Amino acid sequence: MHELLKKILARLGLLSFTILLVYGITGLSVTMLPAPEARPRRQAAAEIVDFRVPPNLTDKQVADRVWEALKLPLTNPAPEWSLRRDAANNLTIGFYTPNGPARVTVLEREGRLRLVRERAPWPAFLNNLHAGTLRDLPVDWRMRAWVAYNEFAIFALILMSLSGVYLWLSSRPRHLLARLSFVAGTGSFLALYWLSR
């Protein structure tokens, strides 16, 4: 049983190594980033696209038509909460993408869209990718592949942790440093959980 479990753990570790490395790198890099309001803002260029709004549509229906027309990569249709009206009563739509947000203003009277994309720096891009889960129901096949890989890595990490504890308990439960590490890790988690609830 030990040898089989070790082989399974090794394969899981190799299959999920890169995404777990991304988790660690993004955790460290995002920690070192300045606060969002203190980060330098890149001036994104606006693109203008012809677009006629059919009459009698709700804001959500217009946003869905905009999404279909622009075909922004790695995005889903805009949720209701990302729709706003600006001071000139133009509909503004926020589209989420791991590459950075895209904001669209529907200029109904002019029959155009103004599209502004902000490019995320690579740490933010990796952070956005690793945060995706199947709960997000991505439409783009590339995002579905990323979230499937994320979900696999999450379950692999859980399985590796549990089976690692089993292997330790079944082979060297008396090893003092291992016992101290287990107690320190579990105790830290429980203390932080208790302090946070």
Side-chain angles (χ1 to χ4, degrees):
M1 178 69 172
H2 273 255
E3 290 308 311
L4 176 63
L5 202 50
K6 286 180 183 177
K7 286 180 182 176
I8 291 171
L9 283 174
R11 300 306 186 279
L12 283 176
L14 292 171
L15 285 170
S16 59
F17 166 75
T18 50
I19 194 70
L20 295 175
L21 192 62
V22 166
Y23 290 177
I25 290 170
T26 57
L28 288 174
S29 63
V30 170
T31 302
M32 293 182 223
L33 285 175
E37 61 274 2
R39 293 177 200 159
R41 303 288 289 185
R42 297 180 195 162
Q43 193 62 25
E47 298 173 45
I48 302 296
V49 178
D50 289 333
F51 183 81
R52 295 272 175 219
V53 177
N56 304 320
L57 293 182
T58 66
D59 286 352
K60 176 65 173 136
Q61 290 169 327
V62 172
D64 290 344
R65 296 271 178 105
V66 167
W67 179 75
E68 290 167 7
L70 292 178
K71 295 179 177 40
L72 296 170
L74 307 178
T75 62
N76 276 359
E80 288 272 356
W81 56 261
S82 72
L83 310 178
R84 302 274 185 275
R85 290 280 176 175
D86 65 14
N89 202 33
N90 294 316
L91 177 63
T92 60
I93 309 163
F95 291 101
Y96 168 81
T97 167
N99 287 315
R103 286 184 310 283
V104 177
T105 305
V106 180
L107 306 168
E108 256 182 274
R109 283 173 283 223
E110 299 172 29
R112 300 188 303 173
L113 303 173
R114 184 174 61 238
L115 168 63
V116 178
R117 301 181 212 211
E118 286 183 39
R119 192 86 171 152
W122 73 268
F125 168 73
L126 288 177
N127 186 45
N128 292 337
L129 282 178
H130 103 278
T133 63
L134 291 174
R135 178 197 64 191
D136 302 326
L137 302 172
V139 174
D140 190 287
W141 69 269
R142 292 164 293 185
M143 285 306 299
R144 283 196 309 269
W146 266 109
V147 300
Y149 193 32
N150 281 341
E151 294 282 340
F152 166 77
I154 290 166
F155 286 109
L157 188 57
I158 290 169
L159 186 61
M160 287 186 287
S161 299
L162 293 175
S163 56
V165 170
Y166 166 76
L167 287 173
W168 166 63
L169 288 174
S170 63
S171 63
R172 295 184 181 178
R174 292 190 182 95
H175 196 260
L176 180 62
L177 188 56
R179 283 194 295 185
L180 291 175
S181 298
F182 180 74
V183 169
T186 305
S188 298
F189 170 81
L190 291 173
L192 288 169
Y193 176 82
W194 181 75
L195 291 169
S196 304
R197 289 294 286 177

